[in-house]
Amino acid sequence: MSKLLVTGGAGFIGSNFVRYVLDNTEHSVTVLDKLTYAANVASLDGLDAQRFSLVKGDVKDAQIVDQLVSEHDAVIHYAAESHNDNSLEDPRPFIETNVVGTYTLLEAVRRFGVRYHHISTDEVYGDLTLDGVERFTEATPYNPSSPYSSTKAASDMLVRAWARSFGISATISNCSNNYGPYQHVEKFIPRQITNILSGVRPKLYGAGENVRDWIHASDHSAAVLQILEHGRIGETYLIGADGQKSNREVIGFILKILGRDKDDFDLVADRPGHDLRYAIDYSKLRTELGWTPRFSDFESGLTRTIQWYESNAWWWSPQKEATETRYASQNTQIRESKTSS
Ligand code: NAD
Ligand code: DAU
């Protein structure tokens, strides 16, 4: 039984990981979270107070980070500014949290000799051609496109340097696009689900042809736990679930599951620098650590996710108006409505 410090545990993937750990292990968890706009403390409702606690604080705050790191056996670092669109509007918080925050944690784990797992993204590798068959592997060169992905790439490089030069006990995982419960409504899938539930038409960037490789957040959590407990120190592992879908296909599934017309969406201005396709080869994780995803059928995982948003409007509706106000001030005018309504 270990004491885990989970940064960013009040966000989407971090809160899923905390629930996964408490349900499937005997570890205890402390969450360190700044509680930015992206956090929702309700995502941590109902957890066992004997094994779980939440500390409000910034990963850039060396004093609080040192104190907490010194009291735990392992750090799993999820905290980040995570949304590409926001990074195009204002990159500064991304540099501060994703780069300086990671540096602050690395110095603490170095000082106290604590095991560290770094959560990163497939976006550090840039993008793949739309019609190709290649996938990212651990050997793919870094080539990030956005302020968000470049700060994540920078943070990965810091971890590698601290492992090599200072010998910290670190592992890194780079995962593809997650979906599931507790995801902020700014992100693609929950934005479109909650648009439809609010009587607003879904918004597809560009021609909707970009491809993302979807994985359920619960599968991501299982993979991270496996790496934390059995991964080789100093190694990087890619996490994916063979879930490649174009954004149009995803919208098609959501409209079908919610009983709407298949063309009932708007095409809006494209995201600048929009990565075309991501695809993960997770052979290393499968062969070395025996991990495979449980949610292999995207449509059934998506159906469960849609049911969760239908049943939990209390969780997402307080964020919805502010999110859409923010989008309205960005460059997302409707270019084409697929059906007139
Ligand atoms: P999120 O935006 O939902 O949550 C981020 C959390 O970090 C929030 O609770 C926020 O309050 C907290 N946070 C932000 N700045 C902080 C700071 N300075 N100090 C302490 N806490 C702070 O993000 P997410 O989608 O859950 O992503 C979590 C991690 O997983 C990120 O590192 C992201 O890069 C990575 N990741 C995400 C995906 C995805 O599909 N969402 C895929 C691969 C990797
Ligand atoms: O690949 C992993 C990454 O996945 C993570 O590192 C990021 O933290 C996470 O946000 C996600 O990044 P994306 O930019 O791929 O996710 P997002 O949900 O913003 O968009 C998914 C796709 O949908 C992308 O091609 C842009 C498109 N999109 C997005 C929104 C919000 C739309 O077409 N319409 C929308 O309204």
Side-chain angles (χ1 to χ4, degrees), residues 82-84 121-123 148 175-177 186-188 191-192 203-205 210 212 247 271 274 278 327:
S82 69
H83 195 38
N84 276 298
T121 168
D122 58 359
E123 294 195 14
Y148 161 69
C175 188
S176 60
N177 284 64
E186 70 188 355
K187 301 297 196 307
F188 178 55
R191 184 180 185 207
Q192 313 316 335
K203 308 278 179 261
L204 262 186
Y205 293 170
N210 305 60
R212 296 294 181 265
N247 294 338
R271 172 186 283 173
H274 196 172
Y278 306 139
Y327 273 121

Side-chain angles (χ1 to χ4, degrees), residues 42-265:
S43 306
L44 299 166
D45 275 357
L47 299 180
D48 176 0
Q50 303 292 317
R51 292 173 60 208
F52 167 75
S53 60
L54 169 64
V55 176
K56 182 178 178 188
D58 194 322
V59 289
K60 298 194 308 298
D61 179 342
Q63 201 178 343
I64 195 162
V65 164
D66 277 5
Q67 174 73 38
L68 287 171
V69 168
S70 70
E71 294 166 355
H72 289 81
D73 303 308
V75 177
I76 303 93
H77 179 34
Y78 285 90
E81 287 291 337
S82 69
H83 195 38
N84 276 298
D85 290 324
N86 294 345
S87 81
L88 295 162
E89 292 290 310
D90 181 12
R92 178 173 283 280
F94 291 74
I95 311 271
E96 288 174 351
T97 289
N98 301 0
V99 182
V100 181
T102 299
Y103 157 75
T104 309
L105 281 162
L106 290 171
E107 283 294 81
V109 298
R110 172 190 175 196
R111 197 169 296 126
F112 297 104
V114 170
R115 169 86 170 87
Y116 176 85
H117 181 73
H118 187 70
I119 301 294
S120 193
T121 168
D122 58 359
E123 294 195 14
V124 299
Y125 300 114
D127 60 357
L128 301 164
T129 55
L130 270 184
D131 49 5
V133 292
E134 68 275 39
R135 296 177 179 220
F136 299 134
T137 73
E138 288 80 3
T140 304
Y142 274 42
N143 187 27
S145 312
S146 73
Y148 161 69
S149 53
S150 60
T151 60
K152 291 299 291 187
S155 71
D156 293 8
M157 294 300 163
L158 294 179
V159 179
R160 290 180 185 197
W162 261 244
R164 176 161 172 159
S165 298
F166 304 126
I168 65 165
S169 293
T171 41
I172 300 177
S173 55
N174 296 78
C175 188
S176 60
N177 284 64
N178 285 221
Y179 72 98
Y182 304 108
Q183 186 169 28
H184 194 281
V185 295
E186 70 188 355
K187 301 297 196 307
F188 178 55
I189 287 179
R191 184 180 185 207
Q192 313 316 335
I193 296 169
T194 57
N195 273 354
I196 295 170
L197 297 179
S198 311
V200 175
R201 292 159 65 85
K203 308 278 179 261
L204 262 186
Y205 293 170
E209 288 168 352
N210 305 60
V211 171
R212 296 294 181 265
D213 193 353
W214 293 98
I215 179 173
H216 195 279
S218 151
D219 279 332
H220 186 182
S221 298
V224 168
L225 193 61
Q226 187 76 352
I227 296 165
L228 183 71
E229 293 179 338
H230 304 290
R232 277 188 294 139
I233 297 303
E235 292 291 313
T236 291
Y237 296 88
L238 261 56
I239 307 174
D242 300 312
Q244 285 189 75
K245 301 274 175 294
S246 74
N247 294 338
R248 257 180 206 260
E249 286 177 278
V250 174
I251 283 283
F253 280 130
I254 295 173
L255 289 167
K256 185 175 101 179
I257 294 163
L258 284 170
R260 302 302 200 278
D261 188 274
K262 70 178 175 38
D263 288 329
D264 206 359
F265 60 84

